[in-house]
């Protein structure tokens, strides 16, 4: 479904992503893990089109999208939940969710999709008339994911979904991510919480200074001694 071929991204003269090649197959959950500054968020921005690539190709659903505008990538079926969430603070929960559907051509099943989001996140239903900016961190994360789902993505990009969340919310968010995947959405996820990410992912890539240094199934990487030492906090 998604293929990156030798992709590099620069910020001025700094190379944040250095010749990255990887794939995500339809139906998978794939995780990118790595230390701060490894280039994970930059990779996500390159895929969603927020950040231009300097070299390489990005192919989605059999078509090259390397230079396609970000909003047109949403129309093609790529939706990103950015790091820091990006909830519209002055809009209600319901209005935020509605914004997620702006790029959709078929607006017929909006109510059904809204119902689906409220089923996944009953808390959002309770708070539907509350301003987005007054939600707790965990609730804002739910809202950001719900808003991305309103675009009916084929591929959902999640940047640090567990960041800043209390332990019980982390479990819940990952359970919901698995559920979204089981309902047919392919997922690429960036995480500092390698333990959770690897236990939920079909496959994962380990990034260091903009390069892939290791890949395997989630289970293989959970058992890998260098991954354990560097990312799971166990020697
Ligand atoms: P983290 O887990 O800390 O979010 P990351 O793996 O997502 O890290 P990126 O945010 O992709 O890493 O950053 C990769 C590199 O690019 C870092 O060295 C960072 O300082 C640099 N970088 C990121 N954004 C910018 C920017 N807007 N301008 C200049 N350099 C940037």
């Amino acid at each position: 479904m998604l293929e990156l071929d030798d992709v590099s991204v620069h910020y001025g003269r700094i190379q944040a992503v250095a010749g990255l090649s990887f794939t995500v197959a339809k139906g998978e959950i794939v995780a990118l893990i790595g230390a701060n500054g490894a280039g994970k968020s930059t990779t996500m921005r390159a895929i969603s089109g927020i950040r231009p690539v300097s070299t390489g190709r990005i192919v989605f659903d059999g078509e090259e999208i390397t230079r396609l505008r970000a909003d047109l990538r949403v129309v093609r079926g790529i939706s990103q939940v950015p790091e820091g969430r990006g909830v519209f603070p002055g809009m209600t929960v319901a209005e935020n969710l509605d914004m997620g559907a702006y790029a959709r051509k078929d607006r017929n099943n909006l109510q059904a999709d809204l119902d689906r989001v409220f089923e996944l996140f009953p808390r959002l239903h309770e708070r539907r008339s509350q301003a987005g900016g007054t939600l707790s961190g965990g609730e804002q994360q739910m809202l950001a994911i719900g808003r991305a789902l309103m675009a009916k993505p084929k591929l959902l990009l999640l940047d640090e979904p567990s960041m800043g969340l209390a332990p019980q919310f982390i479990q819940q968010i990952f359970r919901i991510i698995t559920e979204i995947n089981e309902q047919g959405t392919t997922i690429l996820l960036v995480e500092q919480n390698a333990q959770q990410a690897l236990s939920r992912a079909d496959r994962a890539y380990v990034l260091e200074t903009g390069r892939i240094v290791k890949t395997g199934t989630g289970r293989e990487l959970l058992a890998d001694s260098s991954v354990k030492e560097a990312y799971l906090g166990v020697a």
Side-chain angles (χ1 to χ4, degrees), residues 10-12 14-17 34-43 45 51 83 159-160 163 190-192 207 210:
H10 290 77
Y11 295 102
I14 298 170
Q15 187 173 38
V17 169
N36 292 126
K40 306 181 297 295
S41 297
T42 304
T43 304
R45 289 186 204 120
R51 189 80 211 164
E83 191 176 10
D159 196 344
E160 304 271 4
M163 191 169 62
V190 158
E191 257 301 329
Q192 293 271 347
L207 259 66

Side-chain angles (χ1 to χ4, degrees), residues 87-93 96 123-124 127-141 143:
V87 159
F88 301 113
M91 289 185 176
T92 66
V93 166
N96 265 278
R123 181 72 68 94
L124 293 183
R127 312 245 152 187
R128 60 191 179 281
S129 306
Q130 188 174 324
T134 62
L135 296 176
S136 76
E139 291 165 349
Q140 289 194 27
Q141 185 64 48
L143 180 54

